Amino acid sequence: SPLRHLRTSFNAFLLQNLWPDKDRPPNFVLIMVDDLGIGDIGCYGNDTIRTPHIDRLASEGVRLTQHLAAAPLCTPSRAAFLTGRYALRSGLGSSGRVQVLLFLGGSGGLPPSETTFAKRLQQQGYTTGLVGKWHLGVSCESRGDHCHHPNHHGFSFFYGLPFTLFNDCVPGHGSDILNDLQTTLRSITLLLGLGLATLLLARWNCVLMRDGQVVEQPLRVETLSQRLLQEAQGFVHRNKDRPFLLFFSLAHIHTPLFTNPQFMGKSRHGLYGDNLEEVDWIVGQITETVDSLGLSNSTLMYFTSDHGDTWRTGTRRGRREAGTGFIKAMGGWEGGIRVPGYSDGPADSPGPRGARAHQPLDGHNLMPLLEGTAQRSGHEFMFHYCGVNLNAVRWHPPGSESIFKAHLFTPNFSPEGAVGCYRTGVCMCHGEHVTHHNPPLLYDLHHDPSESRPLTPELEPRYHEALREVGAVHSDGPSGQLSWGQILWRPWLQPCCGTFPLCGCKEQSAQ
């Protein structure tokens, strides 16, 4: 039956708990989609996009309905997922406009001091691999130091995109997030005599790496999904006789959307639907690989998205949110942070034992919840940040179905009447871009998941109690990794194959 409880990040279990049976530790296959709306999956209410393989995971395991990303944008959300800590603890919260890493040649990223679940498992003898998207930085001071690279964060194997897939990677698709900001940066660099370099920034960002080596620049999107799948399957085959962790971080369904002829025109919802049905096929292929090797009973499979559909909600061709009512996105609204979540674990996995991490965690162990021995998670409060600013707080009172959520401020959507910040691409978290609420806007997500009916003292007996409970909580946090000094492009940090600045190569195995 569906689980209706709160969850911060899967990695809290991986960081805090390991199986005591040394002869049979479980494998982990974590599949993460990029920008997937929760209402687009069959078992979450969508009956027009076909997702049978994803739905199978839910039917054979558990389905989480209060499954939350730590942020509605890639960089902070993925940092929290990997570490079990709010992103601002890693310095990956922004006090200004830039909320994600913009350039591979910047010096910001996930600090080397952070402990990821991959690093913890690697220390316990696991072979660990990341195939797909990273978007948490590469280097700090020199092109080859790779201080933020997956290989330095516990992944013994990496194949994929150290940055992200974005519109600039495909000619004719325009520019992606913060386009006006990137235009301004190009103007600044022109004044510094780097005009030619700025014209190549998009090309430099669109990179494919194998471990620490750039193997394709610019990457070819038309064969990307097939290559990522092959690498993920190859990792499972190579490590079938030893405990492994595979983090398969798909480039789907971030724009630009893929145009795989095998799926083009097959869905009822245009190119977006075609892409999502391809995602489902990819999940089926990975599941089949695990099954064919006899690993299904010793492998925990987990499926989720890095965050909701954020700023593109309601704008994609053929887009349909079904059965959820999550319309508003960004800035702490449910549409940007509530994500699909399924876990299909080993049929006879032994119980975990404690193994504390060195740093304080914000996540909680969910194994009792997933195993059915507990009725709710250890989360009573959860905090939602917009950059480094505390944006909203949710409170799940003990012994109650109600989930109260208080918005301290909300982003100003644009244009007027929109449900997202379409003029700026992403919603900002400061100054004239937000509206502060005193008292905070309060909702009961159990009865009003779309956050469309603010509570009042007349409508909710616990109104004042809820506001008191969320009143003394986290303050705003420090910035650092997303400061201007960290995200600006630096030529000496730019990953490159060939002779800089004329970077360019083609992966030989890709035809």
Side-chain angles (χ1 to χ4, degrees), residues 245-317:
L245 160 74
L246 169 62
F247 180 19
F248 189 14
S249 179
L250 301 182
H252 290 73
I253 49 182
H254 198 289
T255 54
L257 296 172
F258 290 87
T259 55
N260 187 333
Q262 181 181 349
F263 297 93
M264 285 283 290
K266 298 299 177 61
S267 79
R268 295 168 56 184
H269 292 283
L271 190 54
Y272 177 82
D274 297 344
N275 271 244
L276 186 48
E277 293 190 1
E278 183 176 6
V279 167
D280 183 75
W281 177 81
I282 291 172
V283 171
Q285 292 295 299
I286 289 295
T287 303
E288 181 180 329
T289 298
V290 171
D291 292 345
S292 69
L293 296 173
L295 301 175
S296 57
N297 287 334
S298 59
T299 301
L300 190 150
M301 298 196 68
Y302 172 77
F303 175 88
T304 191
S305 177
D306 62 347
H307 51 76
D309 194 27
T310 63
W311 65 279
R312 283 176 296 273
T313 295
T315 67
R316 286 182 174 176
R317 290 178 296 166

Side-chain angles (χ1 to χ4, degrees), residues 105-119:
S107 62
L110 187 64
S113 59
E114 288 293 327
T115 300
T116 66
F117 59 72
K119 189 177 293 185

Side-chain angles (χ1 to χ4, degrees), residues 193-428:
L194 296 174
L196 177 61
T198 61
L199 297 177
L200 297 174
L201 281 175
R203 176 186 179 94
W204 287 332
N205 270 338
C206 302
V207 166
L208 195 65
M209 297 184 78
R210 184 181 297 276
D211 292 325
Q213 181 182 1
V214 177
V215 296
E216 189 161 281
Q217 189 174 21
L219 65 87
R220 286 171 292 154
V221 175
E222 60 270 18
T223 60
L224 179 61
S225 59
Q226 297 95 315
R227 285 184 279 164
L228 294 180
L229 174 59
Q230 291 168 4
E231 292 288 343
Q233 292 173 313
F235 179 85
V236 174
H237 275 278
R238 291 194 303 273
N239 296 288
K240 59 183 174 61
D241 296 322
R242 69 189 80 178
F244 66 83
L245 160 74
L246 169 62
F247 180 19
F248 189 14
S249 179
L250 301 182
H252 290 73
I253 49 182
H254 198 289
T255 54
L257 296 172
F258 290 87
T259 55
N260 187 333
Q262 181 181 349
F263 297 93
M264 285 283 290
K266 298 299 177 61
S267 79
R268 295 168 56 184
H269 292 283
L271 190 54
Y272 177 82
D274 297 344
N275 271 244
L276 186 48
E277 293 190 1
E278 183 176 6
V279 167
D280 183 75
W281 177 81
I282 291 172
V283 171
Q285 292 295 299
I286 289 295
T287 303
E288 181 180 329
T289 298
V290 171
D291 292 345
S292 69
L293 296 173
L295 301 175
S296 57
N297 287 334
S298 59
T299 301
L300 190 150
M301 298 196 68
Y302 172 77
F303 175 88
T304 191
S305 177
D306 62 347
H307 51 76
D309 194 27
T310 63
W311 65 279
R312 283 176 296 273
T313 295
T315 67
R316 286 182 174 176
R317 290 178 296 166
R319 183 61 196 271
R320 179 177 185 266
E321 291 280 5
T324 62
F326 302 143
I327 300 174
K328 296 180 288 252
M330 302 295 291
W333 295 109
E334 292 292 284
I337 59 174
R338 196 182 295 198
V339 295
Y342 318 102
S343 179
D344 182 13
D348 54 354
S349 61
R353 65 177 175 87
R356 300 297 302 176
H358 298 299
Q359 297 168 312
L361 299 176
D362 299 302
H364 289 266
N365 176 19
L366 293 185
M367 281 307 294
L369 185 66
L370 299 179
E371 293 172 339
T373 59
Q375 296 301 309
R376 56 180 291 164
S377 77
H379 295 95
E380 182 178 348
F381 293 93
M382 292 189 71
F383 308 100
H384 306 296
Y385 292 88
C386 191
V388 297
N389 305 310
L390 183 63
N391 175 206
V393 182
R394 66 205 298 138
W395 175 46
H396 191 184
S400 172
E401 288 187 331
S402 291
I403 302 171
F404 295 108
K405 184 176 177 185
H407 288 261
L408 309 182
F409 67 84
T410 52
N412 298 330
F413 293 153
S414 61
E416 187 175 352
V419 292
C421 301
Y422 303 130
R423 285 178 177 162
T424 54
V426 296
C427 294
M428 288 177 274

Side-chain angles (χ1 to χ4, degrees), residues 24-93:
R24 193 184 175 184
N27 306 311
F28 299 97
V29 175
L30 316 181
I31 304 173
M32 177 175 280
V33 185
D34 195 358
D35 293 14
L36 175 62
I38 189 173
D40 296 341
I41 302 297
C43 65
Y44 282 103
N46 193 304
D47 58 2
T48 59
I49 298 179
R50 296 166 294 189
T51 56
H53 298 102
I54 298 173
D55 296 342
R56 174 192 163 194
L57 288 180
S59 65
E60 295 180 352
V62 293
R63 178 175 69 99
L64 299 170
T65 58
Q66 292 283 336
H67 192 248
L68 304 172
L73 289 168
C74 298
T75 297
S77 173
R78 289 168 180 267
F81 177 78
L82 284 162
T83 64
R85 291 151 51 84
Y86 291 116
L88 59 86
R89 294 189 187 272
S90 306
L92 287 168

Side-chain angles (χ1 to χ4, degrees), residues 180-203:
D180 57 334
L181 174 61
Q182 294 194 44
T183 300
T184 300
L185 292 177
R186 287 181 173 90
S187 298
I188 293 173
T189 56
L190 280 170
L191 295 176
L192 298 176
L194 296 174
L196 177 61
T198 61
L199 297 177
L200 297 174
L201 281 175
R203 176 186 179 94

